[in-house]
Every structure is written in structure tokens, then in C-alpha cells.
Amino acid sequence: MRRAIVLSINSVKTGGGPFGAVIAKDGEIIAEASNSVTLDNDPTAHAEVNCIRKATKKLSTFDLAGCEIYTSCEPCPMCLGAIYWAHLDRIYYGNDRKDAAKIGFDDNFIYDEIAIEPKHRHRPMKPLLRKEALEAFKLWESSEEKTEY
């Protein structure tokens, strides 16, 4: 956790956001990263996502079961989703989302949006070309060569 905190501090000093993350396996650091949203012009370049990308590359797998993530702040909804998709075993965090909201990183509206029916969300969502889109799902379902994840 201390390394994630150092990464978050260094990120601020070098133009990034105030977030850092470390992924460890069996007590050994596998990957570490900080927030690089503004540095990379990438709204998905949160510390946790950057760290997951590094860890999966290093371990040559999309499944990080057996690993833990240490992050300087409670993960936002996007990062929490990524952590679950990566199958990380445990999440440790320093600051919580209330601390983040106090400095302008308020993600509560996203948590609220998830519970709302898509057509009633702040950003309008409307189904389009569902029958055509289902073709890929049908192919996936019948494929014997797919890699489940």
C-alpha cells in the first residue's frame, strides 16, 4: 500500500492524477502504475486499469486470480469493473470515494446511473440493430475454439 501511495504522490508531481496502484502475487509486486489520464489523453488510463494492463502483459494472462491490488483510493466504477473482470482476489485501498469527491473526483453519479434503466439514464441509450448484433453472439455461442473468460 505504501508503494501505491508513493506512486500517487509522484503522479501529481509529474502531471498525472493523484492515484497509484500495485498488483502483487504471493507477496511480490507484479505491476505498478499511476493515473495517466491527462498525460495520455486517455480517460480510461486510471491507475488500476494501467496496473491491470501491465500485470496481464507480464504474466501473459487475462486472469489475475491469485493476485491482489493495492490502490491509493477506493476504485471508481470503471476500475472496480476492471478488477472484477481481471479476477483479482482482494482489493486494498487508502482514500475512500468521499475523500476523492472532496477534491473533485466524485463518481457517485456513475454508481447512481448503473441502477437506472438504460433509457432513463443521463446519457440517452437506445437499442439499435439488435438482430444484426446478435450474429456475433450466435457465432460465439456455437464456437468450439473460443477461449472463455
Side-chain angles (χ1 to χ4, degrees):
M1 179 56 79
R2 286 189 178 96
R3 182 64 186 149
I5 293 167
V6 167
L7 290 165
S8 70
I9 293 167
N10 289 342
S11 182
V12 174
K13 291 178 180 178
T14 59
F19 305 98
V22 171
I23 293 176
K25 183 172 186 169
D26 301 323
E28 178 187 336
I29 292 177
I30 301 301
E32 58 181 47
S34 58
N35 177 289
S36 62
V37 169
T38 56
L39 298 173
D40 295 340
N41 293 316
D42 179 353
T44 70
H46 291 200
E48 298 90 337
V49 172
N50 288 342
C51 199
I52 288 168
R53 290 173 179 157
K54 288 181 177 182
T56 56
K57 187 173 184 175
K58 181 174 183 177
L59 297 176
S60 298
T61 181
F62 55 80
D63 186 345
L64 296 177
C67 297
E68 302 173 326
I69 189 165
Y70 298 80
T71 179
S72 64
C73 186
E74 181 179 356
C76 74
M78 176 184 70
C79 292
L80 185 60
I83 288 166
Y84 275 94
W85 279 115
H87 305 287
L88 288 153
D89 289 354
R90 189 166 280 123
I91 306 163
Y92 298 98
Y93 62 92
N95 299 310
D96 65 24
R97 61 179 153 169
K98 292 176 187 168
D99 297 322
K102 288 177 187 173
I103 62 164
F105 295 95
D106 190 351
D107 297 325
N108 278 328
F109 74 97
I110 300 172
Y111 285 101
D112 294 342
E113 285 283 296
I114 291 169
I116 298 171
E117 190 176 334
K119 66 182 178 182
H120 296 300
R121 291 182 179 154
H122 183 72
R123 298 277 189 260
M125 296 179 70
K126 182 178 178 177
L128 187 62
L129 302 176
R130 181 172 179 264
K131 284 177 98 175
E132 292 177 41
L134 281 171
E135 185 61 30
F137 282 16
K138 290 174 185 175
L139 286 169
W140 173 264
E141 188 176 42
S142 65
S143 174
E144 293 182 18
E145 297 181 25
K146 65 187 170 214
T147 302
E148 302 268 353
Y149 59 95

